[in-house]
Amino acid sequence: MTDFLWRNHSSLTAFLLLGFSNNPKINVILFSVFLFLYLITLLGNGLIMTLIHRDSHLHTPMYFFLSVLSILDMGYVTTTVPQMLIHLVSEKKTISYSGCVAQMYIFLMLGITESWLFAIMAYDRYVAICHPLRYKVIMSPLLCGLLVAFCGFWGISCALIYTVSAMILPYCGPNEINHFFCEVPAVLKLACADTSVNDQVDFILGFILLLVPLSLIIIVYINIFAAILKIRSTQGRLKAFSTCASHITVVTMFSIPCMVMYMRPGSESSPEEDKKLALFYNVISAFLNPIIYSLRNKDVKRAFFKVLGLGKGSE
């Protein structure tokens, strides 16, 4: 697909990623910061996956979805950060046309899948709080697998539409992308054609892939909060709410920057603002997700201490 697009619609064989700065000293500092964030992201998400796999008490739908989220986050940052790190300390900052297409597609596929996964995780919390006695029956392993497959279907198919609609345009120069990776809005600025149709496609897909899941999440949480208010004990209310607080925080960090990036017209975007937004929903959110989900989670803490052999020290 990439060779076909290049031969028929572009005279460019590579793109130059401008990144953040031309100052070598600043780039060394950025390299250190992003390398730290990347390694901690891999370590944190890898640890969560390991704990969920090894502790039978975490073999529940909630932690199954959390492990899928960790896999997506690890893939999400690995698609962009290693290349960014190389470009920060290397004079060569180019990426091939086919490499740009591949990076764009994989990034979108994982991001779209994650967007829908957040809606599925909200539904899981709804069933756990509003129908606790039927939770294990409703959230069966088969249903959980089908729900994840549903998220993956949206990611695979819609990322293809995004990528093809962007890369089918002619790119005849210049080849400088003012970004740290091949993200659709940044690449479209280089197209030698009118991109208004792409703006419409991006808005429609953004509505389907961001606003629809977010609307479902809001509806689910309205029902959850209504159920929580019916709980008589204050301790019971706090416990029920705490199971949702982490999810609400993560969804907010991911969805709002994505909506700003993909649902506004390309003419209204600023390269520097776009890079900051992309850092937030790509690097920062993946870095914070394990911390947010595990910091106040007694089950994860207990599993961690159990793996360390401390046993009751986690209580």
Side-chain angles (χ1 to χ4, degrees), residues 36-189:
F36 172 78
L37 292 176
Y38 179 60
L39 293 178
I40 295 300
T41 298
L42 294 183
L43 178 63
N45 283 287
L47 179 60
I48 285 182
M49 290 171 56
T50 301
L51 293 177
I52 292 173
H53 174 72
R54 294 191 60 178
D55 194 322
S56 59
H57 293 94
L58 301 183
H59 293 176
T60 65
M62 172 184 171
Y63 292 105
F64 168 70
F65 294 130
L66 183 55
S67 65
V68 174
L69 177 63
S70 293
I71 293 172
L72 292 175
D73 279 340
M74 292 172 70
Y76 206 45
V77 293
T78 301
T79 305
T80 60
V81 175
Q83 177 194 256
M84 176 181 66
L85 292 173
I86 293 172
H87 286 180
L88 284 170
V89 294
S90 171
E91 293 184 2
K92 186 179 180 182
K93 304 179 187 296
T94 57
I95 181 172
S96 66
Y97 186 92
S98 57
C100 187
V101 174
Q103 185 183 59
M104 182 184 295
Y105 176 76
I106 295 171
F107 179 82
L108 287 168
M109 178 186 66
L110 295 174
I112 292 168
T113 302
E114 187 163 317
S115 176
W116 277 99
L117 181 65
F118 285 137
I120 300 304
M121 293 173 76
Y123 174 71
D124 172 71
R125 291 299 83 209
Y126 165 78
V127 177
I129 293 173
C130 298
H131 304 284
L133 299 180
R134 299 175 57 205
Y135 177 64
K136 291 185 178 180
V137 176
I138 296 174
M139 300 303 294
S140 65
L142 176 60
L143 179 62
C144 291
L146 289 174
L147 291 174
V148 170
F150 169 82
C151 298
F153 167 78
W154 278 104
I156 292 169
S157 57
C158 292
L160 185 63
I161 297 173
Y162 260 120
T163 304
V164 171
S165 65
M167 302 312 290
I168 203 170
L169 295 173
Y171 292 91
C172 47
N175 69 334
E176 296 181 345
I177 300 175
N178 194 359
H179 211 297
F180 62 92
F181 74 100
C182 290
E183 190 163 34
V184 172
V187 174
L188 285 177
K189 293 180 184 294

Side-chain angles (χ1 to χ4, degrees), residues 62-63 66 293-302:
M62 172 184 171
Y63 292 105
L66 183 55
Y293 272 108
S294 61
L295 195 60
R296 299 180 61 187
N297 190 308
K298 292 182 179 180
D299 293 333
V300 174
K301 288 181 181 179
R302 188 179 295 110

